[in-house]
Amino acid sequence: MSQGAKKFSACGCLISTIIAAIVIGLAFWILRPKCTIEDFDIFTLHGSNQSTVIHYDIMLKNRNFNKGIYYDTLNLTFYYKPNSHDNSFLIGNDTISPFYQGYRKSTHRVGGVEAKGVKSENAALPNGKAVFRVELATEVRYKSPLWKSKRHSLALGADLKVDSRGSLIKGKDKGKEYGIVLVSAAGRSMGCFKVGGILGILIFIHFL
């Protein structure tokens, strides 16, 4: 075999190795679900004399194109932040029953919970806004056609601003409103390191 043919063969093997690594990596690539608060209302801020009730609409989106998601019970915790500092106090809890979510699907879950310790006279700030916080904690498993993952912890949270009427102040982009995204400090895709690791191992084996 000529030198040129050898180089061409080696190049072909390297390309095949890289393609194989990408295919394997995509099989194990995991994107965490995207969670947003679409609506959040505190009805006591409307001037009601009844007990304070939180109504919420949370959307969970499976961003994976080849994996479903099994959610364990979702635990929601609500806090009131009486000022702009980090201190806050618990005002309520709620749970969402376990469910399965298919590829690229979005699911809404709505609910209501009685908020303790928040009254209309102390829930409005001088600028007509109040700040609350919602935190979500659960465990999820990812299912592909060939395997099901172990459970992974999912812990997300976000601060929510409501207006003087007790309704969520949403974000805006080009005139369109959007929900508030719940974020995590460990928000990277869980599969990114696996892809890099698999690619590195295969290339190392190729050059042995």
Side-chain angles (χ1 to χ4, degrees):
M1 182 181 294
S2 66
Q3 191 68 22
K6 288 181 179 179
K7 288 183 179 180
F8 180 80
S9 177
C11 182
C13 290
L14 178 59
I15 293 174
S16 298
T17 301
I18 293 174
I19 292 174
I22 292 173
V23 171
I24 295 173
L26 288 175
F28 288 94
W29 183 278
I30 293 174
L31 291 174
R32 298 174 186 270
K34 181 180 181 180
C35 304
T36 58
I37 296 294
E38 297 298 311
D39 279 304
F40 181 91
D41 292 286
I42 308 268
F43 282 98
T44 224
L45 299 184
H46 291 269
S48 171
N49 294 321
Q50 300 176 356
S51 60
T52 306
V53 177
I54 294 173
H55 282 183
Y56 65 85
D57 177 355
I58 183 171
M59 183 178 73
L60 300 105
K61 181 177 181 179
N62 180 3
R63 299 180 293 165
N64 296 284
F65 69 92
N66 63 346
K67 296 175 185 65
I69 301 177
Y70 287 97
Y71 294 85
D72 286 355
T73 299
L74 280 76
N75 298 292
L76 296 174
T77 308
F78 299 92
Y79 300 89
Y80 172 51
K81 304 181 75 171
N83 52 52
S84 59
H85 300 293
D86 291 334
N87 58 310
S88 59
F89 62 86
L90 176 68
I91 59 173
N93 300 92
D94 202 11
T95 58
I96 298 173
S97 300
F99 65 96
Y100 172 77
Q101 189 174 49
Y103 311 162
R104 305 290 293 180
K105 298 293 184 180
S106 295
T107 303
H108 286 261
R109 289 292 187 269
V110 298
V113 58
E114 182 177 355
K116 300 178 180 179
V118 181
K119 299 179 180 179
S120 57
E121 62 264 27
N122 66 10
L125 297 181
N127 59 5
K129 300 177 183 178
V131 180
F132 295 82
R133 181 169 180 80
V134 60
E135 294 185 352
L136 179 152
T138 187
E139 290 188 331
V140 296
R141 289 174 293 161
Y142 301 91
K143 183 183 183 302
S144 74
L146 300 178
W147 57 271
K148 184 187 294 184
S149 76
K150 65 179 183 180
R151 281 180 166 83
H152 298 276
S153 296
L154 186 68
L156 307 171
D159 287 347
L160 308 174
K161 293 182 179 180
V162 303
D163 58 25
S164 58
R165 297 176 301 169
S167 298
L168 177 67
I169 300 174
K170 297 184 179 181
K172 289 186 178 182
D173 182 23
K174 297 180 180 179
K176 294 183 178 180
E177 292 186 332
Y178 57 87
I180 306 302
V181 180
L182 276 63
V183 299
S184 169
R188 291 190 176 186
S189 302
M190 296 168 59
C192 59
F193 297 108
K194 292 181 180 179
V195 175
I198 293 171
L199 178 60
I201 291 172
L202 289 177
I203 293 177
F204 174 76
I205 293 174
H206 170 77
F207 284 105
L208 285 178

